[in-house]
């Protein structure tokens, strides 16, 4: 009788011990799971996934995916700031600018203004204004340039000479102001290409590119350079500090490109 009671007590104690061990094990596992859930990497991962997609930064994703390596990278010192000398001698020496906004548009302003101002006097032979009919300068242009080299044009040579003067005089003014720049650049481009044709017809290439001439520049050299400048502005527009840019800002419905 005593033996059976002792056995029953031992069995009861064993069952209680097993139940206590199972509870302790479950408690221990629950604690581990809770600690794992509260670890920094899990918090960062869950925070990133709870954010809207527009707020997930690529560098944050790299930090989570790479773990300690990313942390080591973030602790490294920042790259050396690029200096003006680096821009002159570094890889950017060979880079082509594709966007002429901002600082890259600054050289366009003096180029446009001075080119337009230098063009005005070409359209005012024989006086202050264009097309000075009856003056020796205007008549000389008609007799020695238009008639011999542009006789294929229909109409009166005097009319074509006047159109030439008006294009260069008023086109130069509009071009310098940056007003109706593309039409002005196109009209000036045509007159300068006509001048190139005239000089090539009259003097030829003059030994270009290695030939030497008495006035140190080829006769077609100046109008050719002017033509290239007007071609560029015909394609690209006036640039900053121009009337065209002010008009565009007030009438345009297009969104500015970033």
């Amino acid at each position: 009788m005593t033996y059976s009671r002792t056995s029953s007590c031992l069995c009861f104690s064993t069952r209680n011990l097993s139940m206590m061990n199972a509870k302790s094990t479950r408690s221990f596992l629950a604690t581990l799971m809770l600690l794992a859930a509260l670890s920094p990497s899990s918090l960062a991962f869950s925070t990133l996934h709870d954010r809207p997609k527009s707020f997930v930064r690529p560098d944050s994703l790299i930090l989570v995916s790479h773990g300690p390596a990313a942390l080591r990278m973030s602790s490294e010192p920042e790259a050396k700031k690029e200096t003006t000398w680096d821009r002159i001698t570094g890889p950017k020496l060979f880079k082509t600018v594709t966007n002429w906004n901002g600082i890259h548009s600054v050289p366009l302003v003096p180029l446009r203004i001075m080119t337009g101002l230098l063009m005005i006097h070409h359209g005012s032979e024989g006086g202050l204004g264009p097309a000075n009919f009856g003056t020796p300068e205007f008549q000389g242009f008609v007799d020695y340039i238009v008639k011999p080299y542009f006789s294929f044009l229909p109409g009166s040579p005097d009319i074509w000479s006047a159109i030439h003067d008006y294009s260069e005089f008023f086109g130069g003014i509009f071009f310098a102001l940056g007003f109706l720049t593309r039409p002005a650049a196109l009209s000036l481009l045509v007159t300068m290409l006509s001048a190139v044709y005239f000089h090539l017809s009259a003097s030829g290439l003059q030994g270009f590119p290695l030939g030497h001439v008495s006035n140190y520049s080829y006769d077609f050299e100046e109008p050719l350079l002017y033509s290239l400048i007007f071609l560029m502005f015909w394609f690209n527009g006036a640039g900053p500090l121009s009337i065209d840019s002010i008009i565009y800002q007030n009438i345009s419905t297009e969104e500015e490109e970033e």
Side-chain angles (χ1 to χ4, degrees):
M1 198 61 188
T2 302
Y3 174 76
S4 60
R5 282 199 298 270
T6 303
S7 299
S8 300
C9 290
L10 288 174
C11 291
F12 177 77
S13 299
T14 303
R15 284 197 301 271
N16 288 343
L17 183 60
S18 299
M19 292 175 63
M20 290 177 63
N21 289 336
K23 289 181 179 180
S24 299
T25 302
R26 285 196 297 271
S27 300
F28 179 73
L29 291 176
T31 303
L32 287 179
M33 292 175 66
L34 179 61
L35 290 175
L38 294 177
S39 63
S41 60
S42 299
L43 286 175
F45 186 78
S46 62
T47 303
L48 284 173
H49 280 272
D50 291 338
R51 290 180 181 177
K53 290 184 178 180
S54 60
F55 290 94
V56 177
R57 294 168 50 191
D59 54 347
S60 300
L61 292 175
I62 293 173
L63 178 61
V64 173
S65 60
H66 290 279
L71 289 175
R72 285 196 300 272
M73 290 174 61
S74 64
S75 63
E76 293 178 357
E78 295 182 359
K80 181 183 176 182
K81 186 177 179 181
E82 188 180 43
T83 63
T84 303
W85 182 250
D86 294 332
R87 295 189 184 98
I88 296 174
T89 60
K92 287 189 177 179
L93 175 66
F94 306 97
K95 181 181 178 181
T96 300
V97 173
T98 57
N99 187 345
W100 281 34
N101 292 328
I103 189 65
H104 300 294
S105 64
V106 172
L108 298 178
V109 178
L111 178 63
R112 189 195 75 239
I113 295 174
M114 291 306 301
T115 303
L117 294 177
L118 290 171
M119 187 54 54
I120 294 174
H121 78 95
H122 287 285
S124 59
E125 290 93 348
L128 294 177
N132 296 286
F133 291 93
T135 60
E137 292 81 4
F138 182 83
Q139 196 60 41
F141 184 82
V142 174
D143 293 336
Y144 298 107
I145 295 178
V146 178
K147 287 182 178 179
Y149 296 98
F150 296 92
S151 58
F152 57 86
L153 294 174
S156 170
D158 292 357
I159 298 300
W160 286 110
S161 299
I163 293 174
H164 162 271
D165 283 4
Y166 286 126
S167 297
E168 292 184 341
F169 187 84
F170 291 109
I173 294 174
F174 284 5
F175 191 81
L177 295 175
F179 177 58
L180 298 176
T181 306
R182 281 192 169 94
L186 180 58
S187 65
L188 292 168
L189 173 62
V190 173
T191 59
M192 288 299 102
L193 290 177
S194 300
V196 171
Y197 163 75
F198 158 69
H199 287 297
L200 290 177
S201 300
S203 306
L205 290 174
Q206 299 175 289
F208 170 83
L210 299 177
H212 298 280
V213 292
S214 58
N215 60 350
Y216 301 101
S217 63
Y218 304 115
D219 291 342
F220 67 90
E221 183 176 325
E222 179 184 329
L224 180 60
L225 290 175
Y226 273 121
S227 299
L228 297 175
I229 293 173
F230 294 135
L231 179 65
M232 182 188 68
F233 280 95
W234 180 40
F235 271 94
N236 297 328
L241 295 180
S242 62
I243 297 177
D244 284 352
S245 63
I246 298 174
I247 295 174
Y248 180 78
Q249 290 173 3
N250 286 277
I251 67 175
S252 174
T253 57
E254 298 178 0
E255 294 183 0
E256 293 290 334
E257 296 181 0
E258 294 182 357

